[in-house]
Amino acid sequence: QQQQQQQQQQQQQQQQQQQGGRFFCKANRKVFRLSLAPALAANNDGGASLGSNAKITTGGASTLQSGRTIAITRGVNLDNSDFAGQNLKGVAFQQSIVRDANFKDSNLIGASFFDATLDGSNFENADMTLANVEMAQFNRANLHNTVTREMYVSGATLFEGIKDIEGSDWTDTMLRRDQQKLLCAHPTAKGTNPVTGVDTRESLMCPD
């Protein structure tokens, strides 16, 4: 009986590996191949639980967290990639090079950019609630109207050189004092987030 169960599991794995799809990301004019599992593709929760975001097989891997497959792109070069308008909830980009990428209007709730290089990337109108940006660097990055609530930020996260934070909402994101001071002093630290209705300077708890 155990042998039969093992054989069935092997057959299921083979069937899953034989099925495939495309990852809607243009990186260096390449389209990443995905491994699609029927159970994941049928999941309506969205984000990394969807088959279309389940696994980037070109230089990537996958892991299971709370029953969901999380895409991991550790160390992958995703410069100039176009992720605009996509549901990337829970997708992990940790330790990746993601310069000048386009995340405009994307769902990045719970996504991980741990130790990622995000120089020049566009996060305008994106939702980064609960995103992990520990040790990430945002030089020239655009956070215009971005929801940056409850993000995990470490002291090593670099906001120096950030391009635009107008209309961003930093509610409950615990910033180090010098990071807060830098962002409050930024010329674009103004406006109101169009989604949450929260004032940018109030969300940063600027002293004025």
Side-chain angles (χ1 to χ4, degrees):
Q1 186 176 1
Q2 291 179 349
Q3 291 180 348
Q4 290 179 349
Q5 291 177 349
Q6 290 176 352
Q7 290 176 352
Q8 290 177 352
Q9 290 177 353
Q10 290 177 352
Q11 290 175 354
Q12 289 176 355
Q13 291 175 354
Q14 291 174 354
Q15 290 174 357
Q16 290 175 2
Q17 291 173 354
Q18 289 171 356
Q19 298 194 15
R22 289 187 178 272
F23 186 62
F24 305 107
C25 158
K26 296 178 181 178
N28 299 325
R29 298 183 180 180
K30 294 180 180 179
V31 180
F32 291 107
R33 297 293 302 177
L34 294 178
S35 295
L36 296 184
L40 294 173
N43 193 315
N44 294 322
D45 291 338
S49 59
L50 282 175
S52 58
N53 287 331
K55 183 178 179 182
I56 302 175
T57 58
T58 304
S62 68
T63 185
L64 284 174
Q65 295 181 9
S66 302
R68 296 187 304 147
T69 301
I70 306 298
I72 296 178
T73 61
R74 182 177 286 112
V76 176
N77 188 325
L78 298 172
D79 283 356
N80 301 300
S81 298
D82 186 8
F83 295 100
Q86 292 200 44
N87 182 7
L88 301 171
K89 181 179 180 181
V91 173
F93 296 89
Q94 62 253 41
Q95 297 178 324
S96 292
I97 309 298
V98 200
R99 294 171 298 201
D100 300 304
N102 186 13
F103 291 96
K104 185 177 180 180
D105 300 317
S106 291
N107 178 359
L108 293 167
I109 295 175
S112 176
F113 292 95
F114 173 82
D115 198 20
T117 302
L118 306 172
D119 296 358
S121 288
N122 182 15
F123 294 92
E124 184 173 353
N125 298 324
D127 190 345
M128 298 182 71
T129 301
L130 296 171
N132 182 354
V133 295
E134 182 183 8
M135 298 176 65
Q137 58 186 54
F138 287 87
N139 185 39
R140 299 184 293 106
N142 179 14
L143 296 181
H144 188 88
N145 289 339
T146 307
V147 179
T148 52
R149 300 166 66 100
E150 299 181 81
M151 289 200 309
Y152 182 69
V153 178
S154 72
T157 302
L158 297 177
F159 293 107
E160 285 80 359
I162 197 166
K163 179 180 179 181
D164 190 352
I165 62 170
E166 182 175 354
S168 54
D169 179 3
W170 299 79
T171 301
D172 294 328
T173 294
M174 306 303 294
L175 296 165
R176 201 173 62 187
R177 181 62 61 87
D178 61 325
Q179 295 170 330
Q180 178 197 28
K181 185 177 180 180
L182 182 147
L183 292 173
C184 286
H186 199 280
T188 65
K190 57 185 178 181
T192 302
N193 187 271
V195 175
T196 64
V198 173
D199 181 87
T200 296
R201 297 189 68 81
E202 288 184 4
S203 69
L204 284 168
M205 295 187 290
C206 297
D208 52 21

